[in-house]
Short mmCIF file of all heavy atoms in Angstrom, two decimals:
data_model
loop_
_atom_site.label_atom_id
_atom_site.label_comp_id
_atom_site.label_asym_id
_atom_site.label_seq_id
_atom_site.Cartn_x
_atom_site.Cartn_y
_atom_site.Cartn_z
N ALA A 5 -1.64 -8.60 4.61
CA ALA A 5 -1.55 -7.62 3.53
C ALA A 5 -0.97 -8.26 2.27
O ALA A 5 -1.42 -7.98 1.15
CB ALA A 5 -0.72 -6.42 3.95
N VAL A 6 0.02 -9.13 2.43
CA VAL A 6 0.60 -9.83 1.28
C VAL A 6 -0.45 -10.74 0.64
O VAL A 6 -0.58 -10.79 -0.59
CB VAL A 6 1.85 -10.64 1.68
CG1 VAL A 6 2.34 -11.52 0.55
CG2 VAL A 6 2.97 -9.69 2.13
N TRP A 8 -3.67 -10.33 0.71
CA TRP A 8 -4.61 -9.44 0.03
C TRP A 8 -4.04 -9.02 -1.32
O TRP A 8 -4.73 -9.04 -2.33
CB TRP A 8 -4.89 -8.22 0.91
CG TRP A 8 -5.63 -7.14 0.20
CD1 TRP A 8 -6.98 -7.08 -0.03
CD2 TRP A 8 -5.08 -5.97 -0.41
NE1 TRP A 8 -7.29 -5.94 -0.73
CE2 TRP A 8 -6.14 -5.24 -0.98
CE3 TRP A 8 -3.79 -5.46 -0.52
CZ2 TRP A 8 -5.95 -4.03 -1.65
CZ3 TRP A 8 -3.60 -4.27 -1.18
CH2 TRP A 8 -4.66 -3.57 -1.74
N ALA A 9 -2.76 -8.65 -1.35
CA ALA A 9 -2.12 -8.20 -2.59
C ALA A 9 -2.09 -9.32 -3.63
O ALA A 9 -2.29 -9.07 -4.82
CB ALA A 9 -0.71 -7.70 -2.30
N LEU A 10 -1.86 -10.54 -3.19
CA LEU A 10 -1.83 -11.68 -4.12
C LEU A 10 -3.19 -11.92 -4.76
O LEU A 10 -3.27 -12.41 -5.88
CB LEU A 10 -1.36 -12.94 -3.40
CG LEU A 10 0.12 -13.02 -3.08
CD1 LEU A 10 0.39 -14.15 -2.11
CD2 LEU A 10 0.92 -13.18 -4.36
N GLN A 12 -5.42 -9.65 -5.62
CA GLN A 12 -5.89 -8.55 -6.46
C GLN A 12 -5.75 -8.94 -7.93
O GLN A 12 -4.73 -9.42 -8.35
CB GLN A 12 -5.11 -7.27 -6.17
CG GLN A 12 -5.25 -6.80 -4.75
CD GLN A 12 -6.68 -6.70 -4.29
OE1 GLN A 12 -7.48 -5.97 -4.86
NE2 GLN A 12 -7.03 -7.45 -3.27
N LEU A 15 -4.63 -6.33 -12.61
CA LEU A 15 -3.42 -5.52 -12.54
C LEU A 15 -2.39 -6.12 -13.49
O LEU A 15 -2.37 -7.33 -13.71
CB LEU A 15 -2.83 -5.53 -11.12
CG LEU A 15 -3.64 -4.91 -10.00
CD1 LEU A 15 -2.95 -5.13 -8.66
CD2 LEU A 15 -3.86 -3.44 -10.24
N LEU A 18 3.63 -6.24 -13.45
CA LEU A 18 4.52 -5.31 -12.74
C LEU A 18 3.79 -4.60 -11.60
O LEU A 18 4.31 -4.47 -10.50
CB LEU A 18 5.10 -4.26 -13.70
CG LEU A 18 5.92 -3.17 -13.02
CD1 LEU A 18 7.11 -3.75 -12.27
CD2 LEU A 18 6.37 -2.15 -14.04
N ASP A 19 2.56 -4.16 -11.85
CA ASP A 19 1.80 -3.48 -10.81
C ASP A 19 1.49 -4.43 -9.65
O ASP A 19 1.55 -4.04 -8.49
CB ASP A 19 0.52 -2.88 -11.37
CG ASP A 19 0.78 -1.74 -12.34
OD1 ASP A 19 1.95 -1.29 -12.44
OD2 ASP A 19 -0.17 -1.31 -13.03
N GLN A 20 1.19 -5.68 -9.97
CA GLN A 20 0.94 -6.66 -8.91
C GLN A 20 2.22 -6.92 -8.11
O GLN A 20 2.18 -7.01 -6.89
CB GLN A 20 0.40 -7.96 -9.48
CG GLN A 20 0.06 -8.96 -8.37
CD GLN A 20 -1.19 -9.73 -8.62
OE1 GLN A 20 -1.53 -9.97 -9.76
NE2 GLN A 20 -1.87 -10.14 -7.59
N LEU A 21 3.36 -7.01 -8.80
CA LEU A 21 4.63 -7.19 -8.10
C LEU A 21 4.89 -6.01 -7.16
O LEU A 21 5.27 -6.21 -6.00
CB LEU A 21 5.78 -7.33 -9.10
CG LEU A 21 7.19 -7.38 -8.50
CD1 LEU A 21 7.35 -8.62 -7.61
CD2 LEU A 21 8.23 -7.34 -9.59
N ALA A 22 4.68 -4.81 -7.64
CA ALA A 22 4.89 -3.63 -6.80
C ALA A 22 3.96 -3.65 -5.59
O ALA A 22 4.38 -3.35 -4.46
CB ALA A 22 4.69 -2.35 -7.61
N LEU A 23 2.71 -4.03 -5.79
CA LEU A 23 1.75 -4.09 -4.69
C LEU A 23 2.17 -5.15 -3.68
O LEU A 23 2.12 -4.92 -2.46
CB LEU A 23 0.35 -4.39 -5.23
CG LEU A 23 -0.79 -4.34 -4.23
CD1 LEU A 23 -0.91 -2.96 -3.60
CD2 LEU A 23 -2.10 -4.75 -4.89
N ILE A 24 2.63 -6.30 -4.15
CA ILE A 24 3.09 -7.36 -3.24
C ILE A 24 4.32 -6.90 -2.45
O ILE A 24 4.41 -7.12 -1.25
CB ILE A 24 3.37 -8.66 -4.03
CG1 ILE A 24 2.06 -9.24 -4.56
CG2 ILE A 24 4.11 -9.68 -3.17
CD1 ILE A 24 2.24 -10.31 -5.62
N LYS A 25 5.25 -6.25 -3.13
CA LYS A 25 6.46 -5.77 -2.44
C LYS A 25 6.11 -4.71 -1.40
O LYS A 25 6.68 -4.69 -0.31
CB LYS A 25 7.46 -5.20 -3.45
CG LYS A 25 8.06 -6.24 -4.36
CD LYS A 25 8.95 -7.18 -3.59
CE LYS A 25 9.72 -8.09 -4.52
NZ LYS A 25 10.65 -8.95 -3.78
N LEU A 26 5.17 -3.81 -1.73
CA LEU A 26 4.74 -2.81 -0.76
C LEU A 26 4.05 -3.47 0.43
O LEU A 26 4.27 -3.10 1.58
CB LEU A 26 3.82 -1.78 -1.42
CG LEU A 26 4.51 -0.83 -2.39
CD1 LEU A 26 3.47 -0.06 -3.20
CD2 LEU A 26 5.43 0.13 -1.65
N ALA A 27 3.22 -4.46 0.15
CA ALA A 27 2.54 -5.19 1.23
C ALA A 27 3.55 -5.91 2.11
O ALA A 27 3.39 -5.99 3.33
CB ALA A 27 1.54 -6.18 0.64
N ASP A 28 4.62 -6.41 1.49
CA ASP A 28 5.64 -7.15 2.23
C ASP A 28 6.37 -6.26 3.24
O ASP A 28 6.76 -6.72 4.31
CB ASP A 28 6.63 -7.77 1.25
CG ASP A 28 7.61 -8.70 1.93
OD1 ASP A 28 7.19 -9.48 2.81
OD2 ASP A 28 8.80 -8.66 1.57
N CYS A 47 11.62 -4.03 -7.09
CA CYS A 47 10.96 -4.63 -8.25
C CYS A 47 11.91 -4.88 -9.42
O CYS A 47 11.52 -5.50 -10.41
CB CYS A 47 9.81 -3.74 -8.72
SG CYS A 47 8.50 -3.57 -7.50
N SER A 57 4.03 2.79 -11.97
CA SER A 57 3.31 1.68 -11.36
C SER A 57 2.54 2.15 -10.12
O SER A 57 1.37 1.80 -9.94
CB SER A 57 4.29 0.57 -10.98
OG SER A 57 3.62 -0.53 -10.45
N LEU A 61 -1.49 2.05 -9.48
CA LEU A 61 -2.07 1.42 -8.29
C LEU A 61 -2.99 2.39 -7.56
O LEU A 61 -4.05 2.01 -7.05
CB LEU A 61 -0.97 0.92 -7.35
CG LEU A 61 -0.21 -0.31 -7.83
CD1 LEU A 61 0.99 -0.57 -6.93
CD2 LEU A 61 -1.11 -1.53 -7.89
N LYS A 66 -6.02 0.75 -5.18
CA LYS A 66 -5.34 -0.25 -4.34
C LYS A 66 -4.49 0.40 -3.25
O LYS A 66 -4.23 -0.22 -2.23
CB LYS A 66 -4.45 -1.16 -5.19
CG LYS A 66 -5.16 -1.83 -6.35
CD LYS A 66 -6.29 -2.70 -5.88
CE LYS A 66 -6.98 -3.36 -7.07
NZ LYS A 66 -8.18 -4.08 -6.67
N ILE A 67 -4.06 1.65 -3.48
CA ILE A 67 -3.25 2.38 -2.50
C ILE A 67 -3.68 3.84 -2.47
O ILE A 67 -4.35 4.31 -3.40
CB ILE A 67 -1.74 2.31 -2.82
CG1 ILE A 67 -1.44 3.00 -4.16
CG2 ILE A 67 -1.21 0.89 -2.80
CD1 ILE A 67 0.04 3.23 -4.45
N LEU A 80 -1.84 1.08 2.02
CA LEU A 80 -2.57 0.07 1.27
C LEU A 80 -4.06 0.23 1.55
O LEU A 80 -4.46 0.63 2.64
CB LEU A 80 -2.14 -1.34 1.70
CG LEU A 80 -0.66 -1.67 1.54
CD1 LEU A 80 -0.39 -3.07 2.10
CD2 LEU A 80 -0.25 -1.61 0.08
N CYS A 81 -4.87 -0.10 0.57
CA CYS A 81 -6.32 -0.03 0.76
C CYS A 81 -6.88 -1.39 1.16
O CYS A 81 -8.07 -1.64 1.02
CB CYS A 81 -6.98 0.48 -0.51
SG CYS A 81 -6.60 2.21 -0.85
#
Side-chain angles (χ1 to χ4, degrees):
V6 172
W8 169 81
L10 286 167
Q12 299 309 300
L15 296 175
L18 174 60
D19 293 350
Q20 183 141 30
L21 174 63
L23 186 61
I24 292 166
K25 292 292 189 177
L26 289 168
D28 188 42
C47 297
S57 183
L61 288 171
K66 306 300 180 187
I67 64 169
L80 301 176
C81 292

